[in-house]
Amino acid sequence: MKTVVDNKLVRTYHQEDIQQILQIAIARQAYEGEFSRQQLLEIAAELEISPECLQLAEQEWLTQQSDSQERQKFNLDRRKKLQKRFGNYGLVNIFFILLDLVSGAGLSWSLYILLSLSFLLGLDVWNKSQIQGEEYEKAFQNWKRRHQIKRSINSLLDRLLKA
């Protein structure tokens, strides 16, 4: 945005514009390695960002990073459980198909089981492939709570065994 102040053309920016410009500049910076915390403090000071505000922003960022890592672990756990379910599905269906063939009637009743289990497995795949929404959040929170309880129990057992 351009405005005129004292017969001079002055360019002004909205906060979102400044954030985008700075992100592009930092990304283009031919800087080897990473920024130190001291450099982060210096950049914030130059931008007139208070140390308290920077600390709160850093804590929020760390929380977001932790949440993101937990969600990745949760998604991996869901994938592993789904793979196990596929294996169980295959074994159960092979058993019923072989039992149906051995009984001498050919493939008859085992196909109904195969179709029923396939439908249920398809629903499970559909539900597990959703990575957004209320159901996903509910499943994630339940998983997170169970893992926190496991960690607490393991920590307590470790302390008891060491004592």
Side-chain angles (χ1 to χ4, degrees), residues 134-152:
E134 188 176 321
E135 289 297 319
Y136 175 82
E137 284 301 317
K138 187 176 177 181
F140 173 68
Q141 294 303 326
N142 287 337
W143 177 87
K144 188 175 175 180
R145 193 175 314 111
R146 282 193 313 269
H147 276 72
Q148 286 173 341
I149 291 170
K150 283 180 186 178
R151 276 185 248 145
S152 297

PDB file of all heavy atoms in Angstrom, residues 134-152:
ATOM      1  N   GLU A 134     -13.869 -34.630  13.417  1.00  0.00           N
ATOM      2  CA  GLU A 134     -14.195 -34.890  14.818  1.00  0.00           C
ATOM      3  C   GLU A 134     -13.818 -36.309  15.247  1.00  0.00           C
ATOM      4  O   GLU A 134     -13.269 -36.508  16.334  1.00  0.00           O
ATOM      5  CB  GLU A 134     -15.693 -34.657  15.029  1.00  0.00           C
ATOM      6  CG  GLU A 134     -16.130 -34.715  16.458  1.00  0.00           C
ATOM      7  CD  GLU A 134     -17.608 -34.379  16.603  1.00  0.00           C
ATOM      8  OE1 GLU A 134     -18.094 -33.477  15.908  1.00  0.00           O
ATOM      9  OE2 GLU A 134     -18.248 -35.034  17.443  1.00  0.00           O
ATOM     10  N   GLU A 135     -14.106 -37.291  14.411  1.00  0.00           N
ATOM     11  CA  GLU A 135     -13.779 -38.678  14.753  1.00  0.00           C
ATOM     12  C   GLU A 135     -12.277 -38.879  14.891  1.00  0.00           C
ATOM     13  O   GLU A 135     -11.812 -39.580  15.781  1.00  0.00           O
ATOM     14  CB  GLU A 135     -14.348 -39.639  13.699  1.00  0.00           C
ATOM     15  CG  GLU A 135     -15.850 -39.768  13.733  1.00  0.00           C
ATOM     16  CD  GLU A 135     -16.376 -40.349  15.033  1.00  0.00           C
ATOM     17  OE1 GLU A 135     -15.752 -41.294  15.556  1.00  0.00           O
ATOM     18  OE2 GLU A 135     -17.397 -39.831  15.525  1.00  0.00           O
ATOM     19  N   TYR A 136     -11.521 -38.270  13.998  1.00  0.00           N
ATOM     20  CA  TYR A 136     -10.061 -38.364  14.062  1.00  0.00           C
ATOM     21  C   TYR A 136      -9.552 -37.749  15.359  1.00  0.00           C
ATOM     22  O   TYR A 136      -8.712 -38.327  16.050  1.00  0.00           O
ATOM     23  CB  TYR A 136      -9.425 -37.671  12.853  1.00  0.00           C
ATOM     24  CG  TYR A 136      -7.917 -37.633  12.907  1.00  0.00           C
ATOM     25  CD1 TYR A 136      -7.160 -38.726  12.504  1.00  0.00           C
ATOM     26  CD2 TYR A 136      -7.243 -36.513  13.385  1.00  0.00           C
ATOM     27  CE1 TYR A 136      -5.772 -38.700  12.562  1.00  0.00           C
ATOM     28  CE2 TYR A 136      -5.859 -36.482  13.451  1.00  0.00           C
ATOM     29  CZ  TYR A 136      -5.128 -37.570  13.036  1.00  0.00           C
ATOM     30  OH  TYR A 136      -3.757 -37.548  13.104  1.00  0.00           O
ATOM     31  N   GLU A 137     -10.049 -36.557  15.693  1.00  0.00           N
ATOM     32  CA  GLU A 137      -9.616 -35.883  16.919  1.00  0.00           C
ATOM     33  C   GLU A 137      -9.954 -36.713  18.147  1.00  0.00           C
ATOM     34  O   GLU A 137      -9.157 -36.810  19.083  1.00  0.00           O
ATOM     35  CB  GLU A 137     -10.255 -34.491  17.030  1.00  0.00           C
ATOM     36  CG  GLU A 137      -9.631 -33.457  16.136  1.00  0.00           C
ATOM     37  CD  GLU A 137      -8.144 -33.256  16.403  1.00  0.00           C
ATOM     38  OE1 GLU A 137      -7.737 -33.191  17.582  1.00  0.00           O
ATOM     39  OE2 GLU A 137      -7.388 -33.157  15.426  1.00  0.00           O
ATOM     40  N   LYS A 138     -11.143 -37.296  18.148  1.00  0.00           N
ATOM     41  CA  LYS A 138     -11.563 -38.125  19.278  1.00  0.00           C
ATOM     42  C   LYS A 138     -10.641 -39.337  19.411  1.00  0.00           C
ATOM     43  O   LYS A 138     -10.185 -39.650  20.517  1.00  0.00           O
ATOM     44  CB  LYS A 138     -13.010 -38.567  19.068  1.00  0.00           C
ATOM     45  CG  LYS A 138     -13.615 -39.282  20.224  1.00  0.00           C
ATOM     46  CD  LYS A 138     -15.083 -39.594  19.934  1.00  0.00           C
ATOM     47  CE  LYS A 138     -15.712 -40.389  21.042  1.00  0.00           C
ATOM     48  NZ  LYS A 138     -17.113 -40.714  20.747  1.00  0.00           N
ATOM     49  N   ALA A 139     -10.345 -40.000  18.302  1.00  0.00           N
ATOM     50  CA  ALA A 139      -9.448 -41.159  18.320  1.00  0.00           C
ATOM     51  C   ALA A 139      -8.045 -40.749  18.750  1.00  0.00           C
ATOM     52  O   ALA A 139      -7.394 -41.458  19.528  1.00  0.00           O
ATOM     53  CB  ALA A 139      -9.416 -41.821  16.938  1.00  0.00           C
ATOM     54  N   PHE A 140      -7.571 -39.603  18.276  1.00  0.00           N
ATOM     55  CA  PHE A 140      -6.242 -39.117  18.642  1.00  0.00           C
ATOM     56  C   PHE A 140      -6.164 -38.816  20.136  1.00  0.00           C
ATOM     57  O   PHE A 140      -5.194 -39.188  20.804  1.00  0.00           O
ATOM     58  CB  PHE A 140      -5.871 -37.869  17.827  1.00  0.00           C
ATOM     59  CG  PHE A 140      -4.595 -37.222  18.269  1.00  0.00           C
ATOM     60  CD1 PHE A 140      -3.379 -37.854  18.100  1.00  0.00           C
ATOM     61  CD2 PHE A 140      -4.604 -35.964  18.872  1.00  0.00           C
ATOM     62  CE1 PHE A 140      -2.189 -37.268  18.507  1.00  0.00           C
ATOM     63  CE2 PHE A 140      -3.433 -35.368  19.287  1.00  0.00           C
ATOM     64  CZ  PHE A 140      -2.223 -36.020  19.108  1.00  0.00           C
ATOM     65  N   GLN A 141      -7.179 -38.148  20.680  1.00  0.00           N
ATOM     66  CA  GLN A 141      -7.179 -37.813  22.102  1.00  0.00           C
ATOM     67  C   GLN A 141      -7.213 -39.075  22.968  1.00  0.00           C
ATOM     68  O   GLN A 141      -6.530 -39.156  23.991  1.00  0.00           O
ATOM     69  CB  GLN A 141      -8.361 -36.887  22.456  1.00  0.00           C
ATOM     70  CG  GLN A 141      -8.273 -35.513  21.823  1.00  0.00           C
ATOM     71  CD  GLN A 141      -7.000 -34.760  22.168  1.00  0.00           C
ATOM     72  OE1 GLN A 141      -6.463 -34.878  23.261  1.00  0.00           O
ATOM     73  NE2 GLN A 141      -6.502 -33.971  21.215  1.00  0.00           N
ATOM     74  N   ASN A 142      -7.997 -40.087  22.540  1.00  0.00           N
ATOM     75  CA  ASN A 142      -8.032 -41.355  23.275  1.00  0.00           C
ATOM     76  C   ASN A 142      -6.669 -42.037  23.239  1.00  0.00           C
ATOM     77  O   ASN A 142      -6.190 -42.547  24.257  1.00  0.00           O
ATOM     78  CB  ASN A 142      -9.103 -42.290  22.703  1.00  0.00           C
ATOM     79  CG  ASN A 142     -10.500 -41.845  23.049  1.00  0.00           C
ATOM     80  OD1 ASN A 142     -10.720 -41.133  24.019  1.00  0.00           O
ATOM     81  ND2 ASN A 142     -11.464 -42.250  22.240  1.00  0.00           N
ATOM     82  N   TRP A 143      -6.042 -42.067  22.069  1.00  0.00           N
ATOM     83  CA  TRP A 143      -4.712 -42.669  21.922  1.00  0.00           C
ATOM     84  C   TRP A 143      -3.699 -41.933  22.794  1.00  0.00           C
ATOM     85  O   TRP A 143      -2.894 -42.554  23.475  1.00  0.00           O
ATOM     86  CB  TRP A 143      -4.304 -42.622  20.446  1.00  0.00           C
ATOM     87  CG  TRP A 143      -2.936 -43.132  20.166  1.00  0.00           C
ATOM     88  CD1 TRP A 143      -2.570 -44.422  19.932  1.00  0.00           C
ATOM     89  CD2 TRP A 143      -1.726 -42.366  20.098  1.00  0.00           C
ATOM     90  NE1 TRP A 143      -1.220 -44.509  19.712  1.00  0.00           N
ATOM     91  CE2 TRP A 143      -0.675 -43.258  19.806  1.00  0.00           C
ATOM     92  CE3 TRP A 143      -1.432 -41.017  20.243  1.00  0.00           C
ATOM     93  CZ2 TRP A 143       0.641 -42.837  19.667  1.00  0.00           C
ATOM     94  CZ3 TRP A 143      -0.125 -40.601  20.101  1.00  0.00           C
ATOM     95  CH2 TRP A 143       0.891 -41.514  19.813  1.00  0.00           C
ATOM     96  N   LYS A 144      -3.755 -40.611  22.763  1.00  0.00           N
ATOM     97  CA  LYS A 144      -2.825 -39.786  23.536  1.00  0.00           C
ATOM     98  C   LYS A 144      -3.001 -40.058  25.038  1.00  0.00           C
ATOM     99  O   LYS A 144      -2.016 -40.201  25.768  1.00  0.00           O
ATOM    100  CB  LYS A 144      -3.089 -38.314  23.210  1.00  0.00           C
ATOM    101  CG  LYS A 144      -2.095 -37.348  23.778  1.00  0.00           C
ATOM    102  CD  LYS A 144      -2.413 -35.950  23.270  1.00  0.00           C
ATOM    103  CE  LYS A 144      -1.523 -34.912  23.887  1.00  0.00           C
ATOM    104  NZ  LYS A 144      -1.837 -33.565  23.394  1.00  0.00           N
ATOM    105  N   ARG A 145      -4.252 -40.140  25.490  1.00  0.00           N
ATOM    106  CA  ARG A 145      -4.527 -40.401  26.905  1.00  0.00           C
ATOM    107  C   ARG A 145      -3.991 -41.773  27.313  1.00  0.00           C
ATOM    108  O   ARG A 145      -3.355 -41.905  28.364  1.00  0.00           O
ATOM    109  CB  ARG A 145      -6.035 -40.324  27.158  1.00  0.00           C
ATOM    110  CG  ARG A 145      -6.426 -40.263  28.614  1.00  0.00           C
ATOM    111  CD  ARG A 145      -7.927 -40.063  28.820  1.00  0.00           C
ATOM    112  NE  ARG A 145      -8.469 -39.046  27.989  1.00  0.00           N
ATOM    113  CZ  ARG A 145      -9.321 -39.183  26.938  1.00  0.00           C
ATOM    114  NH1 ARG A 145      -9.759 -40.170  26.605  1.00  0.00           N
ATOM    115  NH2 ARG A 145      -9.766 -38.259  26.201  1.00  0.00           N
ATOM    116  N   ARG A 146      -4.218 -42.795  26.479  1.00  0.00           N
ATOM    117  CA  ARG A 146      -3.726 -44.143  26.782  1.00  0.00           C
ATOM    118  C   ARG A 146      -2.201 -44.153  26.875  1.00  0.00           C
ATOM    119  O   ARG A 146      -1.629 -44.790  27.766  1.00  0.00           O
ATOM    120  CB  ARG A 146      -4.187 -45.139  25.721  1.00  0.00           C
ATOM    121  CG  ARG A 146      -5.618 -45.579  25.879  1.00  0.00           C
ATOM    122  CD  ARG A 146      -5.949 -46.786  25.017  1.00  0.00           C
ATOM    123  NE  ARG A 146      -5.498 -46.695  23.651  1.00  0.00           N
ATOM    124  CZ  ARG A 146      -6.199 -46.214  22.634  1.00  0.00           C
ATOM    125  NH1 ARG A 146      -7.413 -45.764  22.834  1.00  0.00           N
ATOM    126  NH2 ARG A 146      -5.698 -46.203  21.413  1.00  0.00           N
ATOM    127  N   HIS A 147      -1.521 -43.452  25.966  1.00  0.00           N
ATOM    128  CA  HIS A 147      -0.064 -43.413  25.990  1.00  0.00           C
ATOM    129  C   HIS A 147       0.466 -42.637  27.201  1.00  0.00           C
ATOM    130  O   HIS A 147       1.510 -42.985  27.741  1.00  0.00           O
ATOM    131  CB  HIS A 147       0.481 -42.855  24.676  1.00  0.00           C
ATOM    132  CG  HIS A 147       0.591 -43.896  23.621  1.00  0.00           C
ATOM    133  ND1 HIS A 147      -0.506 -44.432  22.985  1.00  0.00           N
ATOM    134  CD2 HIS A 147       1.663 -44.546  23.126  1.00  0.00           C
ATOM    135  CE1 HIS A 147      -0.106 -45.349  22.131  1.00  0.00           C
ATOM    136  NE2 HIS A 147       1.201 -45.441  22.196  1.00  0.00           N
ATOM    137  N   GLN A 148      -0.232 -41.603  27.614  1.00  0.00           N
ATOM    138  CA  GLN A 148       0.183 -40.870  28.812  1.00  0.00           C
ATOM    139  C   GLN A 148       0.043 -41.757  30.046  1.00  0.00           C
ATOM    140  O   GLN A 148       0.912 -41.740  30.926  1.00  0.00           O
ATOM    141  CB  GLN A 148      -0.640 -39.592  28.975  1.00  0.00           C
ATOM    142  CG  GLN A 148      -0.269 -38.508  27.995  1.00  0.00           C
ATOM    143  CD  GLN A 148      -1.201 -37.315  28.054  1.00  0.00           C
ATOM    144  OE1 GLN A 148      -2.315 -37.402  28.566  1.00  0.00           O
ATOM    145  NE2 GLN A 148      -0.751 -36.190  27.510  1.00  0.00           N
ATOM    146  N   ILE A 149      -1.029 -42.533  30.103  1.00  0.00           N
ATOM    147  CA  ILE A 149      -1.227 -43.449  31.230  1.00  0.00           C
ATOM    148  C   ILE A 149      -0.138 -44.514  31.230  1.00  0.00           C
ATOM    149  O   ILE A 149       0.438 -44.821  32.284  1.00  0.00           O
ATOM    150  CB  ILE A 149      -2.636 -44.083  31.171  1.00  0.00           C
ATOM    151  CG1 ILE A 149      -3.698 -43.020  31.469  1.00  0.00           C
ATOM    152  CG2 ILE A 149      -2.757 -45.255  32.154  1.00  0.00           C
ATOM    153  CD1 ILE A 149      -5.120 -43.464  31.205  1.00  0.00           C
ATOM    154  N   LYS A 150       0.183 -45.057  30.048  1.00  0.00           N
ATOM    155  CA  LYS A 150       1.249 -46.061  29.959  1.00  0.00           C
ATOM    156  C   LYS A 150       2.579 -45.485  30.430  1.00  0.00           C
ATOM    157  O   LYS A 150       3.317 -46.130  31.165  1.00  0.00           O
ATOM    158  CB  LYS A 150       1.403 -46.571  28.520  1.00  0.00           C
ATOM    159  CG  LYS A 150       0.356 -47.549  28.093  1.00  0.00           C
ATOM    160  CD  LYS A 150       0.611 -47.994  26.660  1.00  0.00           C
ATOM    161  CE  LYS A 150      -0.498 -48.864  26.135  1.00  0.00           C
ATOM    162  NZ  LYS A 150      -0.275 -49.254  24.730  1.00  0.00           N
ATOM    163  N   ARG A 151       2.888 -44.260  30.006  1.00  0.00           N
ATOM    164  CA  ARG A 151       4.139 -43.625  30.425  1.00  0.00           C
ATOM    165  C   ARG A 151       4.179 -43.404  31.934  1.00  0.00           C
ATOM    166  O   ARG A 151       5.201 -43.626  32.577  1.00  0.00           O
ATOM    167  CB  ARG A 151       4.331 -42.290  29.703  1.00  0.00           C
ATOM    168  CG  ARG A 151       4.941 -42.445  28.334  1.00  0.00           C
ATOM    169  CD  ARG A 151       5.235 -41.101  27.714  1.00  0.00           C
ATOM    170  NE  ARG A 151       4.305 -40.992  26.587  1.00  0.00           N
ATOM    171  CZ  ARG A 151       3.730 -39.879  26.178  1.00  0.00           C
ATOM    172  NH1 ARG A 151       3.987 -38.739  26.747  1.00  0.00           N
ATOM    173  NH2 ARG A 151       2.913 -39.882  25.158  1.00  0.00           N
ATOM    174  N   SER A 152       3.053 -42.996  32.494  1.00  0.00           N
ATOM    175  CA  SER A 152       2.993 -42.774  33.943  1.00  0.00           C
ATOM    176  C   SER A 152       3.191 -44.079  34.701  1.00  0.00           C
ATOM    177  O   SER A 152       3.932 -44.124  35.686  1.00  0.00           O
ATOM    178  CB  SER A 152       1.639 -42.167  34.328  1.00  0.00           C
ATOM    179  OG  SER A 152       1.474 -40.915  33.732  1.00  0.00           O
TER     180      SER A 152
END
